[in-house]
Amino acid sequence: MEPLSAADEVVDICRDLLRIDTSNTGDPRTTVGERVAAEYVAAQLSEAGIAVELHESAPRRANLVARIPGADRSRGALLVHGHLDVVPADASEWSVPPFSGEEKDGYLWGRGAIDMKDFDAMTLAVVRGWQRTGYVPPRDIVLAYTADEEAGMEYGSQFLVREHADLFEGCTEAIGEVGGFSYTVNDDLRLYLVETAEKGIDWLRLHAKGRPGHGSFVHDDNAVTALAEAVAAVGRHRFPMVVTPTVRAFLEQVSEALGIELDPDEPELAIAKLGPIANLIGATVRNTANPTRLEAGYKDNVIPGKASATIDCRTLPGQAEIFLDQLRQVIGPDIEIEHVSRQEALETGFDGALVEAMGAALRAEDPGARTVPYMLSGGTDAKAFSTLGIRCFGFAPLKLPADLNFSALFHGVDERVPVEGLQFGVRVLDRLLQAS
């Protein structure tokens, strides 16, 4: 009987992971925790003879790290990381139960199918396949499965970097989520977007102060009014366009591939021509600030002395301080700004042996593949790992159906991953890790 291949096994592993509810609400009181999923991963790795370390940052908030020794221990190690938590899902909005791992219409359905239990399953399937054949990678491979990526990473990668940095000793490069997926140009050409940059995160709280009073009086110093004016101004404001090196390279390469004019100096006109990935790229040409939460008052007929709002801000590389100056001009001098969470933007070049190996691995499985760099508008665990001097890329390979709106599935209803794409990703990842 032939041994089970990684491509055969990945579907079962992914299904198992999808059935483990690891919803992260951002509130420790209601977050389920990642412990059960981490124990499942630990069992899969231990069965393959790979030693693991589990580290809890808080009750049920488990992180797992394992190192697979390579043939040349003197080379820099490659970190392969994925998070185990998922955003919550309202079952009433889904056409299948979100934690069922149901397979239908050629897809595996469930919360986390692309964000990012698919890649967690890929890495497990690949290294378990190595164990069955006795394969030794060319250099050390460090696997990290983290908690809390969906709510700021404090209990996950930030905790590991802060408390257990020694586990990543020697790691020079890393691959993680939201890259390596396909965008179909035509039957003979698919662009695979490799994340080489991501915007910074600045979660801010705006505070307005005023004079408390009775709700029936004429009141000219109302904190709620002042805050509402500031929030409305932020929500409607469009910050200036800035084309970073990564976005410029993306537009130039896409222009060549599509055979149409995509002027990097008019990025929004260019991006509008990109169809289903326009939404993914559109937020990478300017800083953004979106109001997300409001808090004020304690009684219907009392004018409060303070009102607050949370603003989700995403900044381009090198723009963090410039953005704050711009924001101050929008909200005015009397609104207090509090930093809740701040993580720097990242940007690296689209070059080097690892990048070349990504392209070669994709072309070996898809002759129509062409890799292009892009910037992610969100953030990943790379923000934490990059502080250790690790060069980080987003590369979780997936060959997608041409008509699938991939970006809409992130944190969306009916999240799902194509089974054939998942198996394709395993083969590509296996080739990449063997060549790197």
Side-chain angles (χ1 to χ4, degrees):
M1 182 177 179
E2 291 186 8
L4 190 67
S5 73
D8 292 329
E9 190 175 45
V10 68
V11 178
D12 290 336
I13 294 175
C14 189
R15 181 185 295 110
D16 289 345
L17 287 171
L18 292 174
R19 289 174 174 171
I20 303 172
D21 184 350
T22 53
S23 297
N24 185 354
T25 65
D27 184 344
R29 296 170 299 180
T30 55
T31 290
V32 175
E34 301 82 1
R35 180 81 198 194
V36 174
E39 289 176 344
Y40 172 85
V41 173
Q44 296 295 312
L45 292 174
S46 297
E47 185 180 300
I50 299 169
V52 304
E53 290 194 29
L54 272 174
H55 295 280
E56 275 199 343
S57 52
R60 303 185 309 280
R61 310 307 302 274
N63 300 272
L64 181 149
V65 180
R67 183 179 290 258
I68 302 173
D72 185 354
R73 303 301 303 279
S74 67
R75 288 186 58 194
L78 177 65
L79 170 63
V80 182
H81 61 91
H83 61 85
L84 294 171
D85 63 320
V86 299
V87 296
D90 183 347
S92 67
E93 299 174 337
W94 286 55
S95 59
V96 301
F99 296 101
S100 64
E102 184 173 331
E103 184 176 348
K104 71 169 187 174
D105 302 328
Y107 290 83
L108 269 181
W109 299 60
R111 174 60 84 219
I114 61 165
D115 187 15
M116 60 173 297
K117 290 180 176 178
D118 58 336
F119 188 62
D120 295 336
M122 287 183 208
T123 57
L124 281 173
V126 167
V127 299
R128 282 171 58 85
W130 290 352
Q131 184 273 341
R132 288 190 289 269
T133 62
Y135 176 76
V136 177
R139 57 169 163 167
D140 283 11
I141 303 294
V142 177
L143 305 176
Y145 298 85
T146 64
D148 200 35
E149 191 275 343
E150 298 290 4
M153 302 169 255
E154 178 64 25
Y155 295 100
S157 55
Q158 298 283 3
F159 162 77
L160 288 175
V161 166
R162 185 174 62 249
E163 303 292 337
H164 301 284
D166 58 298
L167 296 174
F168 308 100
E169 184 177 355
C171 289
T172 56
E173 297 169 305
I175 58 172
E177 64 177 325
V178 205
F181 55 91
S182 67
Y183 165 64
T184 299
V185 177
N186 55 51
D187 290 343
D188 300 318
L189 177 61
R190 276 159 295 283
L191 304 181
Y192 286 82
L193 281 64
V194 177
E195 188 218 299
T196 59
E198 58 186 53
K199 295 177 80 175
I201 300 173
D202 210 345
W203 291 339
L204 304 178
R205 195 157 289 136
L206 305 184
H207 302 289
K209 295 180 179 179
R211 188 179 71 254
H214 198 288
S216 67
F217 295 162
V218 175
H219 205 91
D220 296 327
D221 187 18
N222 190 315
V224 175
T225 302
L227 180 74
E229 289 173 343
V231 167
V234 169
R236 295 192 181 101
H237 187 72
R238 293 296 175 266
F239 293 86
M241 289 185 293
V242 178
V243 181
T244 62
T246 295
V247 174
R248 184 172 294 273
F250 170 82
L251 291 174
E252 289 173 349
Q253 294 194 39
V254 168
S255 174
E256 179 186 344
L258 297 181
I260 59 176
E261 185 175 351
L262 293 172
D263 185 354
D265 295 321
E266 295 288 345
E268 290 190 310
L269 293 176
I271 290 167
K273 302 176 182 179
L274 298 179
I277 63 169
N279 188 48
L280 189 68
I281 306 300
T284 64
V285 296
R286 55 166 39 99
N287 301 317
T288 59
N290 285 305
T292 55
R293 301 180 70 181
L294 296 168
E295 181 180 1
Y298 56 89
K299 197 171 187 294
D300 291 348
N301 63 347
V302 176
I303 297 171
K306 184 177 181 179
S308 303
T310 301
I311 311 293
D312 184 351
C313 307
R314 306 298 171 116
T315 57
L316 297 167
Q319 288 278 307
E321 297 306 319
I322 295 171
F323 165 77
L324 285 176
D325 290 340
Q326 294 170 340
L327 181 66
R328 174 55 70 189
Q329 294 177 29
V330 174
I331 65 175
D334 298 327
I335 302 294
E336 177 188 343
I337 300 176
E338 175 192 358
H339 289 272
V340 178
S341 178
R342 191 176 194 184
Q343 298 173 24
E344 296 295 326
L346 305 177
E347 190 164 31
T348 189
F350 190 57
D351 56 8
L354 182 60
V355 170
E356 292 175 4
M358 292 175 186
L362 285 166
R363 289 189 297 273
E365 295 295 333
D366 178 6
R370 177 174 174 177
T371 54
V372 296
Y374 91 106
M375 178 185 295
L376 178 66
S377 61
T380 73
D381 282 325
K383 292 196 182 309
F385 294 127
S386 67
T387 64
L388 298 177
I390 300 172
R391 189 182 182 203
C392 296
F393 297 90
F395 189 78
L398 281 175
K399 186 178 180 182
L400 301 170
D403 60 350
L404 180 67
N405 190 346
F406 183 61
S407 63
L409 296 178
F410 282 87
H411 298 187
V413 173
D414 285 342
E415 184 180 350
R416 59 198 183 276
V417 63
V419 171
E420 290 184 0
L422 191 62
Q423 294 172 326
F424 169 87
V426 165
R427 296 192 298 270
V428 172
L429 184 63
D430 195 7
R431 288 179 181 276
L432 173 65
L433 298 182
Q434 290 195 39
S436 64

